Amino acid sequence: AALLLVVAAILGIVGPHPKVDEDTLVVIIDHQRFPLDLIGAVVNAGGLIALAAVLNFLWTATKARRPALSPGFRYMVLAGGVIAAISGVVYWVAAGLAAHKFVTSGQQTYSEAHHLTSTAAVLVPPVVGYFGGFLLGIGALIISLNAMRVGLLPKVMGYLGIFVGILFVYPIVPVFVIQGGWLLALACLFLGRWPNAFPPAWDRGEAVPWPSNQKVREQQAANRASRGGRGKRVPAPAASGTGSASGSASGSASASAPAPASAERAVAPAGSTRATTPKRKRKRRR
């Protein structure tokens, strides 16, 4: 699936392209690109059908671990892949026939080019193809989300699959780059060659949900606490006799030490009053 989708995108890039959006020029360039575009449409159809098969396999594995998953999503991706594949081939066949008719017959005017490119055979297939891509994208989104919840897909792969499904509906970036990378990563996962820890849900055959961010933070905090407890030295408690002896020794030492002179002046002898306390004579200043 990854190889076919990337090759189809490369075939659509190479070759001549109109420099301005003008009907007569577009039709002439379509006539020149017809073999390349038709081959690219067939290759892309094979890639879409292969992608639908990949999502069907992922749905089957998820359904075995979450029975509540609706079978409608399985039919959605299968129908969407087939519809998008067939409509793409039909469009390029109709566009090629219209371009051939314009180049080989008629007066080759703007009105004739506009008339040939406005027929139902040219306008309807892209609308049908968009509907098929919409079904395929919604199915990819839901299946990737549920596969991530039961532990079949790592979180990064689950979120990337959701993004791939959104790109089918709103192609804001080149779709084939994201699709190809996601499908190659799925191939590594299905073959058991995932570089990181392999999801245990594949081996156990049951749902093994990934821990939430809060549980991961709590586990990390517990690990840090256990490592800190093993590395910290706890002092031994002092004996009661030793503590009392040291307390008495310190008390005796403090009692035997001479009091500072300021303390002697601050403490008045017992029984002294203000009248009996000798007064200092002050020197008279002349």
Side-chain angles (χ1 to χ4, degrees):
L3 180 63
L4 292 176
L5 291 175
V6 171
V7 170
I10 294 174
L11 291 176
I13 295 174
V14 300
H17 290 276
K19 297 181 180 180
V20 294
D21 189 10
E22 198 271 330
D23 286 349
T24 56
L25 182 60
V26 169
V27 173
I28 293 173
I29 297 298
D30 286 346
H31 177 71
Q32 297 175 0
R33 289 183 52 86
F34 175 70
L36 193 63
D37 287 335
L38 184 59
I39 294 174
V42 174
V43 173
N44 187 68
L48 292 174
I49 293 176
L51 174 60
V54 170
L55 293 174
N56 177 62
F57 171 75
L58 193 59
W59 178 90
T60 304
T62 306
K63 177 70 173 179
R65 292 155 179 83
R66 174 170 286 187
L69 183 62
S70 173
F73 299 112
R74 177 184 191 178
Y75 303 134
M76 186 179 294
V77 296
L78 293 175
V82 173
I83 291 173
I86 295 176
S87 62
V89 176
V90 171
Y91 169 75
W92 285 112
V93 169
L97 293 177
H100 178 74
K101 183 177 181 180
F102 176 80
V103 172
T104 57
S105 62
Q107 301 178 355
Q108 300 180 357
T109 60
Y110 172 81
S111 59
E112 185 178 359
H114 181 73
H115 172 71
L116 292 174
T117 56
S118 299
T119 59
V122 178
L123 296 179
V124 173
V127 178
V128 177
Y130 179 81
F131 175 71
F134 178 81
L135 295 178
L136 194 59
I138 297 299
L141 189 152
I142 299 299
I143 293 174
S144 298
L145 178 62
N146 284 272
M148 179 180 63
R149 286 179 175 176
V150 300
L152 290 176
L153 294 183
K155 287 189 175 182
V156 62
M157 288 295 296
Y159 291 129
L160 191 57
I162 294 172
F163 187 57
V164 168
I166 294 174
L167 288 180
F168 273 104
V169 183
Y170 300 103
I172 54 179
V173 295
V175 181
F176 73 95
V177 177
I178 309 298
Q179 286 178 349
W182 184 63
L183 287 169
L184 287 176
L186 278 182
C188 295
L189 183 66
F190 292 166
L191 294 175
R193 300 182 181 274
W194 190 248
N196 298 326
F198 192 76
W202 289 100
D203 295 330
R204 296 184 185 180
E206 59 184 6
V208 184
W210 300 104
S212 62
N213 295 332
Q214 182 179 358
K215 290 184 179 180
V216 171
R217 288 193 296 267
E218 292 175 354
Q219 183 64 33
Q220 292 175 352
N223 293 337
R224 287 194 297 267
S226 62
R227 289 195 298 267
R230 289 195 298 268
K232 186 177 180 180
R233 297 179 62 184
V234 181
S240 59
T242 306
S244 60
S246 61
S248 60
S250 60
S252 61
S254 61
S256 61
S262 59
E264 290 179 357
R265 290 195 299 267
V267 179
S272 62
T273 60
R274 183 175 182 84
T276 59
T277 303
K279 299 181 179 180
R280 292 184 181 181
K281 294 182 179 180
R282 296 182 179 178
K283 293 182 180 181
R284 295 179 180 180
R285 294 182 182 179
R286 295 180 182 180

